[in-house]
Amino acid sequence: MASVSEPALRADGLRAEWTRTWAFACRNVIMARRNVFFVFELTFWPGVAMLSHGLLTQFLALTPEMTAFILSGTVALSAVQVCQLDVAYAVLFDIWSKSMKHQFLAPVGIRHLALGSWLVGVARGLIVFGLMAFIGTRAFGFDFLGGGAGSLAAFLAGCFLCALVIGLLVCTLVLLFGTRAETSAWAAVNLIVMLAGIYYPISVLPGWVAAISAAIPLTYFLDAFRAGYGFDSQFSAPLTKGFALALLYVALAHWALAAAITRARRTGLLLKLSE
Amino acid sequence: MLAVEARGLTKTFRTGWLHRRRTEALRGVSLEVPRGAIFGLLGPNGAGKTTLLSILATLLLPDAGSATVLGLDVVRESLAVRRRLNMASGNASFVWSLRPAEVLMFYGRLYGLSGGALRRRVEELVELCELTSHRKTEYNELSTGLKQRLAFAKALLNEPEVLFLDEPTLGLDPDVSIRIRAQIARLRRERGTTIILTTHYMREAEELCDDIAFIKAGRILAQGAPDALKRQIRLGEVIALRLDPLEPAGLASLPGVLECRLREEHLECAVDAADKRLPEILRWLHEQGVVVRHCEVREPDLEEVFVELNR
């Protein structure tokens, strides 16, 4: 082995902040390129969901507005699922490869892993949306821009913010309960989307469930998007409420993950997840 | 100037239903490691070596006590500590689909390296750890030795001032172990890196370490330079004899003979002072009609110190 001659390398500042964030983004991209299950996440399941739900709307002979109502739920579920998985992968990759301690041995914060992996999640979520929009428009005549470009952009931004919250919560659960909580990465989003009124208005839910729904930001984003297709909005200023709630939850989820990491350092779970 | 200072570190792990099962991993460990030293932590499995390293590396929070690395508190100033240390373990693992350079790029970025500086550093370490011909191989396809070399390369990414090595040569072929040991010695010699290593291999510790601490059941039993430890444990010197008959009765009860043990074909007698006892023993053997085929005086090795402390 040769000898090393580089002077001391220890970077800090804004550039280093971005570099640390970029590290997680690059890793997610490499993993997405090399593992076949990412292709399924990105194309197969969203494609199947859009085709099956679109065919269902045709069988039931739904109006274009009702078709938009159903298919907007289908898009929300797939986009949120794919994006939140990327955030969860920031921790899950290390758990599956038993390399957790190396990540937390480095001077990184939650903001780096969350933002870096979320950026890839947003990119993948947009690809999923593009695919679903293509199928929806060509096969079922669903116009995703029916409510206007601004409405669609706000809807997608809301979906991706919700995905960030769910992804951070999955990371928190995994760092609290170890590998037992892995399944939450796939289960959590389905529960939340169900409560947010994915294929129905939340007015059909029992009163106490509807109260929970009102605390979920995705409920407001779906409501605002569907309003663009002529449905009565169930909330006043849904986008403002949705974004305010989502940002509050991002802050809370960040705090929860920080607390879970501290607990994992205290209990030794951080080391156990590396064995 | 101390690189590492620990005072009364304790750590208990709670496991099982309602966390009722308690395992005391550390029971008041205190330690001082000067800058630029290679310090060995020796002890049986479950002694607390990895727990101690993990606390110093900020991966684990102690229940009580305090520790500093380069004068920084490992609990209150953990982020600043992490910038200046690194760690490699014998059973290290990385994300399965990444290639060696990609693993190094990922962790290099976590340490804030970017652009040309990162690329140069990665290239240098790939070459240093002889991974050049495995550039295209994904991590899960690498052999154990290559994985270990990659873990070692990763630990050097940020040019750490303090380097923790947890069983760095565990399960490696002898030639790879020798090269890793040479690299560890060179790091200290050329860069003044403080290195704390845990190992099961006594010869490795004896070859590399300035100071050694024996840890057992969460307590440090003895600490010092290898030679001083041998004196401290009072193992005396060893007279190794090949005799016919192999083990004559009564030899162990001669004056000055502390203990006799049969090891393969040799009878090893620990004595208080070899220069005084050797003539007496040879005379006694002659009187008993025992044939002496081979005789050798040597100092006890660390393995014997370890065995003695483990009793």
Side-chain angles (χ1 to χ4, degrees), chain A residues 42 78-79 82-83 86 120-130 156 160:
Chain A
L42 211 57
S78 296
V82 162
C83 183
D86 258 297
V120 179
V122 169
R124 295 210 311 140
L126 287 173
I127 292 172
V128 163
F129 169 74
L156 288 175
F160 295 142

Side-chain angles (χ1 to χ4, degrees), chain B residues 239 241 250-251 253-257 271-288 292 295:
Chain B
I239 298 173
L241 300 156
L251 181 56
S253 52
L254 288 179
V257 178
V271 295
D272 53 2
D275 52 349
K276 187 177 170 199
R277 300 302 174 193
L278 182 61
E280 293 172 8
I281 289 172
L282 290 176
R283 196 177 308 122
W284 183 84
L285 289 170
H286 177 70
E287 286 166 8
Q288 302 298 312
V292 179
C295 175

Side-chain angles (χ1 to χ4, degrees), chain B residues 216-231:
Chain B
K216 187 185 175 186
R219 287 197 179 91
I220 289 186
L221 301 181
Q223 185 179 337
D227 288 342
L229 272 176
K230 290 172 196 167
R231 285 194 298 273

Side-chain angles (χ1 to χ4, degrees), chain A residues 1-2 4-12 15 19-20 31 34-35 97 99 101-102 105 265-266, chain B residues 11 58 60-61 82-83 89 93 96-97 102 110 112-114 121 128 130 138 154 159 186 191:
Chain A
M1 294 183 189
V4 182
S5 60
E6 194 79 7
L9 297 160
R10 208 165 291 113
D12 247 316
R15 189 186 161 101
T19 302
R20 290 184 178 106
M31 292 300 284
R34 300 226 174 108
N35 290 279
S97 61
S99 60
K101 66 181 175 189
H102 298 297
L105 184 71
R265 282 190 205 278
R266 194 170 53 245
Chain B
K11 184 71 195 173
T58 78
L60 195 61
L61 294 172
R82 276 177 225 145
R83 289 195 178 101
S89 46
S93 185
W96 63 95
S97 283
E102 290 167 346
L110 295 192
L113 301 176
S114 60
R121 186 75 184 138
L128 173 82
E130 298 170 20
E138 291 183 10
K154 176 251 149 197
E159 300 213 344
R186 190 180 295 154
R191 302 198 169 280

Side-chain angles (χ1 to χ4, degrees), chain A residues 101 271-272 274-275, chain B residues 11 13 25-26 41-60 87-91 164-167 170 196-200 215:
Chain A
K101 66 181 175 189
L271 296 175
K272 261 192 205 159
S274 305
E275 288 168 356
Chain B
K11 184 71 195 173
F13 292 109
L26 294 181
L41 274 174
L42 306 184
N45 289 330
K49 307 183 294 288
T50 303
T51 302
L52 178 56
L53 275 199
S54 300
I55 288 175
L56 296 175
T58 78
L59 290 170
L60 195 61
M87 185 178 193
S89 46
N91 59 355
F164 297 114
L165 299 172
D166 193 8
E167 309 272 4
L170 186 73
I196 301 186
L197 68 93
T198 71
T199 181
H200 272 97
I215 185 165

